[in-house]
């Protein structure tokens, strides 16, 4: 079999990702670029070229601050909206501790930067506040028992 030139390496990565999507190994969100770099042993620019090739095919799409997703799947709302949903959906009440940044990153597959930005927005809205050991819920969003509509 002829050797592939380094310029075509991104096509091999794109093919591998396409196959994983096809068989359901990647169902919604793609791994981070850092994880793809590590998994495929290539540079970040090679990963970016592979992702852009799949995007051009309409197979995946990019969501700023959230990552890459299989086209047509998943919850594309901003992280702050998803985090605010925790206050009602998980039965969290005023005074309860709010999940840690690490837990939120894992739960939503978001970067620490995106989670910190969402936390700052929620603190600005008075929903959560920093306390000695982390953060706690101070109010519930309108429509979730926190305020009259």
């Amino acid at each position: 079999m002829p050797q592939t030139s380094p310029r075509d390496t991104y096509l091999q990565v794109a093919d591998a990702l396409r196959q994983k999507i096809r068989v359901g190994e990647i169902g919604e969100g793609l791994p981070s670029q850092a994880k793809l770099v590590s998994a495929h042993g290539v540079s970040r620019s090679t990963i970016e070229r592979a992702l852009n090739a799949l995007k051009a095919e309409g197979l995946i799409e990019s969501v700023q601050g959230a990552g890459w997703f299989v086209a047509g799947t998943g919850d594309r709302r901003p992280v702050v909206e998803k985090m605010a949903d925790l206050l009602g959906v998980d039965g969290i009440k005023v005074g309860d501790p709010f999940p840690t940044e690490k837990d939120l990153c894992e739960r939503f597959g978001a970067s620490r930067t995106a989670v910190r930005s969402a936390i700052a927005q929620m603190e600005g809205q008075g929903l959560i506040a920093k306390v000695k050991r982390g953060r706690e819920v101070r109010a519930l969003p309108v429509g979730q028992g926190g305020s009259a509509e």
Side-chain angles (χ1 to χ4, degrees):
M1 175 152 54
Q3 284 248 325
T4 304
S5 78
R7 290 179 187 225
D8 293 334
T9 304
Y10 80 97
L11 294 173
Q12 291 177 344
V13 173
D15 286 342
L17 291 172
R18 189 180 298 106
Q19 182 61 24
K20 287 182 178 188
I21 291 168
R22 217 176 268 136
V23 300
E25 213 173 301
I26 296 175
E28 186 178 315
L30 276 72
S32 69
Q33 288 188 19
K35 287 182 180 174
L36 292 171
V37 164
S38 178
H40 294 278
V42 296
S43 70
R44 187 175 188 95
S45 64
T46 299
I47 294 298
E48 288 172 355
R49 287 184 74 192
L51 294 172
N52 284 323
L54 295 174
K55 181 180 179 181
E57 293 174 19
L59 187 59
I60 63 172
E61 56 192 9
S62 172
V63 177
Q64 187 172 4
W68 290 88
F69 297 85
V70 176
T73 63
D75 184 351
R76 302 291 191 273
R77 293 177 303 142
V79 173
V80 68
E81 288 181 22
K82 295 178 193 178
M83 285 172 45
D85 282 354
L86 287 177
L87 300 180
V89 175
D90 283 359
I92 295 176
K93 299 180 291 290
V94 172
D96 286 351
F98 193 70
T100 66
E101 287 180 6
K102 180 182 177 199
D103 291 340
L104 294 166
C105 289
E106 290 173 3
R107 181 171 188 154
F108 298 113
S111 69
R112 191 165 292 262
T113 302
V115 166
R116 285 181 178 162
S117 174
I119 286 171
Q121 290 175 54
M122 291 177 74
E123 287 175 339
Q125 294 168 5
L127 298 174
I128 59 174
K130 194 165 180 93
V131 293
K132 283 185 181 180
R133 292 187 172 251
R135 290 179 178 80
E136 75 176 26
V137 177
R138 290 293 170 95
L140 298 177
V142 173
Q144 294 185 359
S147 305
E149 289 189 58

